[in-house]
Amino acid sequence: MATVRLTKSEKRQTRKATKPPKTQAPEFSLAPLSPKNAAQAKYLSAIQKHQQVFALGPAGAGKTYLATHYAVQEIMAERCKKFIVARPMISSDRSENIGFLPGDLNMKFTPWAIPILDVIEKLVGKVRTQEWLRKGTIEFAPFQFMRGRTFDGGAIVLLDEAQNCTKEQLRLFVTRLGECKVIISGDPQQSDIRDSGLTYVVALAKRYQIGAEICRFSSRDIVRSRLCQAWVEAFDSENDFDVDMKKQSEHRKDSILYVRPPLDFSSERFDAD
């Protein structure tokens, strides 16, 4: 049987024809961004209308989810080219050190970015999320490397878990802001550090009329689950009681105060039988 020899041009065409296609993100329409309560509706309206927004309230109220969904929506509509995420990287020992983690900067930041990446992947899929990370459409900005930067170019910038930022870190962050939209999200009641600067910066914005819209959420606005809401309300009730007792003891040291019964940790309360 005669051997058929292909020219170089024919070989190139054959390789192109047999080469597997590149993985591309599937085309689809993004789910609409719909608020679930009045507090969320006010928050979304503030994000759309104002350059700077504070979102303050308990876990599970949708602060991070709505900000991320809004950023994804603007990127898909080509009204925004970049979504920058900053977050204090407080570990269990309350330290900030990512140098020992493997990989590039985005990979080092990943453990702290999982909540936001989960939202983006849920909205646009894993393929498109990874593509945006490669292209820099999604960028993580650790505080260790923030000095000297300017956030501009019409980017949407989210500072998440801002209650774990010190005054110095928050000053560093807000002085990076150029022509961009910024959302600062946090729960002042759930800080992992003793010297949180979140409430201080909010007070500065109000005192000097810096033009920041402040949106507050309460336990009534929690949408994560009924269980999450119940736990937040339980902790808030205990904290409120402790504050009231402390105030009474300061003003009525010689009086007899009502003492709350201690929590019962006996095994009988938790016996499966």
Side-chain angles (χ1 to χ4, degrees), residues 23-270:
T23 304
Q24 295 182 348
E27 296 296 329
F28 65 98
S29 58
L30 189 65
L33 184 52
S34 303
K36 294 185 177 181
N37 52 46
Q40 286 194 354
K42 179 182 177 182
Y43 179 38
L44 284 174
S45 177
I47 293 174
Q48 293 166 352
K49 295 178 181 179
H50 298 274
Q51 184 180 6
Q52 187 171 225
V53 177
F54 285 95
L56 310 175
K63 306 182 299 296
T64 302
Y65 178 85
L66 291 175
T68 303
H69 194 149
Y70 175 80
V72 170
Q73 173 183 278
E74 294 302 288
I75 291 171
M76 294 290 289
E78 298 183 351
R79 292 188 292 264
C80 170
K81 294 183 179 180
K82 180 170 284 194
F83 179 38
I84 301 173
V85 179
R87 190 174 185 178
M89 293 173 290
I90 303 299
S91 59
S92 58
D93 60 353
R94 300 184 179 184
S95 64
E96 279 205 17
N97 185 6
I98 63 174
F100 70 93
L101 294 174
D104 60 16
L105 192 57
N106 277 349
M107 291 179 66
K108 290 177 183 289
F109 198 89
T110 297
W112 289 270
I114 286 175
I116 293 170
L117 290 175
D118 283 348
V119 173
I120 298 175
E121 287 186 5
K122 183 178 179 181
L123 293 172
V124 300
K126 190 170 185 177
V127 173
R128 181 173 273 111
T129 300
Q130 294 301 317
E131 178 185 334
W132 285 356
L133 285 169
R134 281 196 311 273
K135 292 181 177 180
T137 305
I138 302 171
E139 180 188 340
F140 300 125
F143 279 91
Q144 291 96 323
F145 309 103
M146 197 177 289
R147 184 78 62 187
R149 291 202 56 183
T150 300
F151 300 143
D152 56 9
I156 296 174
V157 184
L158 170 63
L159 173 55
D160 197 30
E161 301 291 342
Q163 77 275 3
N164 286 333
C165 292
T166 63
K167 292 179 184 179
E168 291 75 16
Q169 285 177 317
L170 283 165
R171 177 172 181 167
L172 170 63
F173 176 79
V174 297
T175 54
R176 302 304 97 204
L177 303 179
E179 293 301 319
C180 64
K181 183 183 292 289
V182 60
I183 303 157
I184 300 176
S185 169
D187 179 6
Q189 302 301 318
Q190 202 177 20
S191 177
D192 296 318
I193 60 175
R194 295 181 180 179
D195 54 342
S196 173
L198 179 57
T199 54
Y200 173 80
V201 170
V202 172
L204 280 183
K206 292 172 65 177
R207 179 181 299 174
Y208 294 98
Q209 300 179 353
I210 298 180
E213 187 72 7
I214 301 171
C215 299
R216 298 184 185 274
F217 295 84
S218 71
S219 59
R220 296 187 302 272
D221 304 314
I222 292 174
V223 296
R224 178 171 292 159
S225 68
R226 292 293 297 274
L227 189 60
C228 175
Q229 185 178 41
W231 275 114
V232 169
E233 290 176 346
F235 275 102
D236 287 349
S237 296
E238 288 291 301
N239 291 339
D240 291 343
F241 188 93
D242 291 339
V243 170
D244 290 342
M245 289 299 99
K246 184 177 180 180
K247 288 181 179 178
Q248 288 186 40
S249 65
E250 291 173 351
H251 293 90
R252 300 168 58 188
K253 291 182 179 180
D254 299 329
S255 302
I256 298 175
L257 298 176
Y258 167 74
V259 179
R260 174 184 49 186
L263 292 173
D264 186 359
F265 294 105
S266 64
S267 58
E268 296 176 1
R269 294 266 324 252
F270 302 96

